[in-house]
Amino acid sequence: MMVQKQHFKPKSVLIMASGNGSNFEAIVKYFRAKGFQDKVKFELLCDKKGAPVLDRAKTLGIPAFCIEFEKFYDFLAARKGEYDLYVLAGFMRVLPEKILEISSNGVFCANSLANIINIHPSLLPEFKGKNAIARAFEAGAKETGVTVHFVQKEVDLGYIIARQPLKTEGLGLSALENEIHKIEHSIYPETIEKLLFKKNVLVFGGGAREHAIASVISSSPFLKRLYLANPNDGFKNLGETINFSDYLDLLQKSIEKRVDILVVGPENPLCEGIADVFEKGGIKVIGANKDWARLEGSKSFAKKFMQRNDIKTADYKLAFDEKSLECALEYFANSKTLAPPVIKADGLALGKGVFVPNDFSEAKKNAKEFLDGKFGAASEKILLEERLFGKEVSIISLWDGKTLVSFPPASDYKKLLEDDKGPNTGGMGAVAPSEITLKQKNEIEEYLKTLEAALVREKADFCGVIYSGLILTDDGPKVLEYNMRFGDPECQALLELLDVSRGVDLLDIFIKMTEKKLKKSDLKIADKKAYCLVLASDGYPSNPKKGAEIKNLDAAKEYGCKTYFAGVKTSQGSLTVSGGRVLSIVKSGEDTREFVYKTAESIKFDGKIYRKDIGKK
């Protein structure tokens, strides 16, 4: 299936500069090197006669206008709506509000009046204003860098779009200036390209995790249009829903709507090969292909991957009938620990295919239930696994085929009831970052290096997410399981920690992943704690009560919390319960836990249940 050719109306960019013009030249040459001469048209506006940038414009054949700054407003007013983007490049003037208003064009400009961007040679908000490089050097800053931001009335305080840090150790002032300029000449054109050619994104999935992903993406300055596949009624307002019959049908409709990137939330579509379908159709995917989705879809496949690559995990035996089950139970009965093994379905069981028995009799009983079809095809083959002891953490990592970048550890509360009692669920809450020791932190970092080396060695040819479920034992971290997508509810808490004040943008990270440039991304995490509490419906996980009206959702705003919806649908104009996990309540910062629970108490629906101990330990 071929992707339809896209016909672009040329983008028009006005660059305002009054100095040397090295950034101006770097921008023009970048777009010409990419063959964008017919896609992007540049003009220069200068307020200083004899400025070197005018000579550069002449050499490059770029139309240039040189007028007094006092006449800029008249010039721009006469051309209102002609430019897709306004770029400051060495233009040391404070723009009056009336110019900011002219440039807005009614487009997304990140809470700023203007569709004007500027580049600054420091990591804002530090060293605002003139001579930033010299002032950072004189102050002995160990790290500085470059910031691209939208322009507003206050100098160098606009919404940050991109940042790139630079370590200053061993650099003199002249060398520091040279390195800063190199970064500017790279990051500025790349950012301009992403702002000019924004992405159409399709988010697949209808849970709270997908609601959180869609919500974060929807505020990105790099987003053109958001599409949704299988959203629930609680967040379908964020974008346009694409209805489909199968993955090929969804691909064809996505091509017609010029979708650039598919982001897959749940595990089943990945294991069924949705990424392969879209990649063959020419659309980039954040999600593992069918081959590598087996790390989640088959626990025995994951075990073999770990064994090949010296990744520590629990000892295990496979069982697929009564005879192999007896052999496996006998093996663990004679093991050093003498502890009954954990029972796991080999395939996908919606996060519920794990049982931790109290004794061997209970282990045998539940193992037979698994093999007899408790989870259908997912438990036709099972693992009996050595029981390990220690703190469990979830590590969400991003992989672009070359580089692995990870979020901090998160703690997931899988059991239905307080004190980790009751049946396993898809997750009743999460806290991030997890409280771990420095030793454990270093051990996790070593594990992640081992995982990255394994993925490189085995040529893992996909772009997506790897979830490492780790247990921190006395012998170091060991892998309990792999998932090939963001965990739910860990995702909701972790995305809350993205430091948007320092230019961290989830869509920008996804774009870099599809270009195999994840190494250049700056996954800055805010220095705070985030909580996610799941409200579920009575009877979950086996037979949840449905149909109740959900009331008082405005309480979340009152307490500064966010709500992400899962098992909900609209009925007679009201949002009602339609599944087990109903919604997630998320907040980060001070007094977080208190306000999350006040929100949980205030939101009402018949049969509401939730754990009272999320974040207590």
Side-chain angles (χ1 to χ4, degrees):
M1 187 177 295
M2 298 297 293
V3 178
Q4 296 173 349
K5 286 188 176 181
Q6 299 185 22
H7 301 285
F8 292 103
K9 175 187 175 184
K11 302 288 184 179
S12 183
V13 179
L14 181 67
I15 300 180
M16 294 182 243
S18 55
N20 185 46
S22 62
N23 269 322
F24 165 79
E25 183 172 330
I27 292 166
V28 174
K29 287 186 174 179
Y30 172 89
F31 281 91
R32 287 184 175 176
K34 297 197 75 170
F36 280 14
Q37 291 93 327
D38 296 328
K39 293 182 179 179
V40 183
K41 303 297 182 183
F42 292 101
E43 290 182 357
L44 173 70
L45 180 58
C46 180
D47 67 332
K48 186 177 179 181
K49 291 182 180 179
V53 69
L54 291 168
D55 294 328
R56 292 181 190 260
K58 185 176 181 180
T59 300
L60 292 166
I62 300 298
F65 306 90
C66 185
I67 62 176
E68 297 174 5
F69 181 65
E70 290 72 19
K71 296 181 180 179
F72 266 41
Y73 175 78
D74 293 333
F75 176 91
L76 294 171
R79 292 166 173 76
K80 181 175 173 60
E82 288 186 12
Y83 301 108
D84 295 284
L85 186 65
Y86 300 77
V87 176
L88 303 188
F91 188 72
M92 303 302 292
R93 294 274 195 171
V94 177
L95 297 176
E97 189 168 337
K98 62 182 183 178
I99 286 182
L100 301 182
E101 291 173 346
I102 281 176
S103 66
S104 68
N105 290 347
V107 300
F108 178 93
C109 41
N111 301 320
S112 170
L113 282 171
N115 188 31
I116 303 176
I117 63 170
N118 182 45
I119 191 163
H120 186 77
S122 80
L123 295 178
L124 292 175
E126 295 180 345
F127 306 108
K128 300 189 294 288
K130 296 180 179 180
N131 304 314
I133 301 175
R135 288 189 289 119
F137 180 79
E138 291 164 4
K142 294 182 179 180
E143 183 181 71
T144 185
V146 172
T147 305
V148 181
H149 64 96
F150 281 106
V151 174
Q152 61 182 34
K153 290 185 295 182
E154 296 80 7
V155 175
D156 294 334
L157 282 180
Y159 181 97
I160 293 174
I161 312 167
R163 290 164 102 241
Q164 187 166 327
L166 172 68
K167 300 292 184 184
T168 61
E169 185 179 358
L171 296 176
L173 178 56
S174 178
L176 179 61
E177 289 175 334
N178 288 335
E179 291 302 313
I180 289 289
H181 292 323
K182 285 181 185 176
I183 294 174
E184 286 181 330
H185 296 166
S186 171
I187 192 174
Y188 213 14
E190 289 176 359
T191 303
I192 291 168
E193 181 184 3
K194 283 183 283 192
L195 288 171
L196 291 175
F197 301 106
K198 301 183 180 189
K199 301 297 185 183
N200 290 324
V201 179
L202 170 62
V203 175
F204 189 109
R209 165 186 52 213
E210 291 78 31
H211 185 179
I213 292 170
S215 179
V216 173
I217 287 176
S218 69
S219 64
S220 171
F222 305 121
L223 178 70
K224 183 176 183 181
R225 188 156 190 178
L226 181 63
Y227 295 96
L228 305 169
N230 284 343
N232 67 61
D233 289 348
F235 74 95
K236 66 180 182 181
N237 63 304
L238 289 177
E240 178 185 334
T241 298
I242 302 179
N243 297 309
F244 62 97
S245 57
D246 55 30
Y247 297 148
L248 281 172
D249 181 43
L250 181 61
L251 170 64
Q252 184 56 49
K253 290 175 178 175
S254 298
I255 290 173
E256 291 168 1
K257 293 181 181 295
R258 297 181 176 176
V259 167
D260 298 291
I261 299 173
L262 166 69
V263 181
V264 185
E267 60 272 33
N268 280 353
L270 295 173
C271 291
E272 291 164 356
I274 189 173
D276 306 74
V277 172
F278 271 69
E279 287 284 0
K280 287 178 182 176
I283 294 177
K284 301 292 186 181
V285 182
I286 304 298
N289 56 33
K290 189 173 183 178
D291 224 19
W292 281 98
R294 288 183 296 165
L295 278 177
E296 176 169 8
S298 170
K299 290 180 174 60
S300 56
F301 176 86
K303 286 288 189 182
K304 291 172 184 176
F305 167 80
M306 289 183 267
Q307 289 173 334
R308 287 195 305 272
N309 292 286
D310 297 321
I311 294 173
K312 292 181 180 179
T313 185
D315 190 13
Y316 76 103
K317 291 294 179 182
L318 282 174
F320 46 86
D321 58 18
E322 191 167 340
K323 182 178 179 180
S324 56
L325 174 59
E326 290 292 342
C327 291
L329 289 169
E330 184 179 353
Y331 174 83
F332 283 103
N334 295 323
S335 67
K336 291 180 181 179
T337 64
L338 300 179
V342 177
I343 312 302
K344 293 184 176 182
D346 185 65
L348 299 177
L350 299 176
K352 301 167 190 140
V354 178
F355 182 77
V356 183
N358 294 309
D359 52 43
F360 276 90
S361 174
E362 197 174 35
K364 183 175 182 178
K365 175 177 176 293
N366 280 276
K368 289 185 73 174
E369 288 178 358
F370 274 44
L371 288 173
D372 287 343
K374 183 174 183 178
F375 296 104
S379 59
E380 288 178 351
K381 179 168 62 175
I382 64 173
L383 279 76
L384 284 77
E385 190 174 86
E386 171 193 9
R387 188 166 181 178
L388 300 174
F389 299 91
K391 181 182 180 71
E392 292 186 29
V393 296
S394 307
I395 308 293
I396 308 294
S397 303
L398 306 176
W399 169 253
D400 68 351
K402 295 169 58 178
T403 303
L404 192 75
V405 173
S406 301
F407 286 84
S411 296
D412 175 26
Y413 293 71
K414 293 184 175 66
K415 294 289 188 177
L416 179 68
L417 305 175
E418 283 82 8
D419 299 319
D420 287 334
K421 295 178 180 178
N424 266 346
T425 70
M428 295 299 292
V431 178
S434 302
E435 292 185 9
I436 57 175
T437 66
L438 179 60
K439 179 175 181 288
Q440 289 170 332
K441 179 177 180 291
N442 292 335
E443 288 174 339
I444 289 172
E445 287 176 354
E446 285 303 310
Y447 156 74
L448 290 170
K449 289 178 184 176
T450 302
L451 175 60
E452 182 179 57
L455 294 167
V456 171
R457 186 182 305 114
E458 300 217 359
K459 297 180 174 59
D461 55 344
F462 71 92
C463 171
V465 181
I466 303 175
Y467 169 120
S468 302
L470 301 182
I471 184 165
L472 308 181
T473 74
D474 291 340
D475 297 326
K478 294 186 178 182
V479 177
L480 292 173
E481 65 175 348
Y482 283 122
N483 294 334
M484 301 307 288
R485 30 79 189 189
F486 281 102
D488 183 347
E490 297 98 323
C491 174
Q492 293 90 293
L494 288 169
L495 293 187
E496 186 71 12
L497 295 178
L498 292 176
D499 196 342
V500 294
S501 70
R502 292 194 281 178
V504 181
D505 183 285
L506 184 62
L507 179 52
D508 185 37
I509 291 170
F510 285 165
I511 292 169
K512 286 187 171 74
M513 288 172 67
T514 64
E515 297 172 346
K516 296 191 183 298
K517 294 179 180 177
L518 187 56
K519 194 170 185 178
K520 294 180 68 174
S521 69
D522 189 17
L523 188 61
K524 290 289 186 184
I525 299 299
D527 185 18
K528 56 185 179 179
K529 181 157 284 192
Y531 290 78
C532 175
L533 173 66
V534 172
L535 301 190
S537 186
D538 190 26
Y540 177 69
S542 58
N543 187 28
K545 180 181 178 182
K546 300 178 183 180
E549 181 182 352
I550 306 169
K551 300 177 181 178
N552 204 25
L553 286 166
D554 288 342
K557 292 181 181 178
E558 179 183 345
Y559 294 114
C561 297
K562 296 174 183 175
T563 51
Y564 296 119
F565 295 104
V568 300
K569 69 176 182 179
T570 301
S571 177
Q572 296 181 339
S574 298
L575 210 56
T576 62
V577 174
S578 66
R581 291 192 294 180
V582 178
L583 60 88
S584 295
I585 302 169
V586 178
K587 183 172 170 48
S588 62
E590 296 182 7
D591 300 319
T592 296
R593 189 174 185 277
E594 175 188 357
F595 290 134
V596 164
Y597 274 99
K598 283 184 176 180
T599 302
E601 291 166 11
S602 299
I603 294 175
K604 307 292 184 183
F605 59 87
D606 291 341
K608 178 182 69 177
I609 59 171
Y610 58 93
R611 282 183 60 159
K612 310 298 192 298
D613 61 346
I614 304 300
K616 266 193 173 181
K617 59 178 181 176

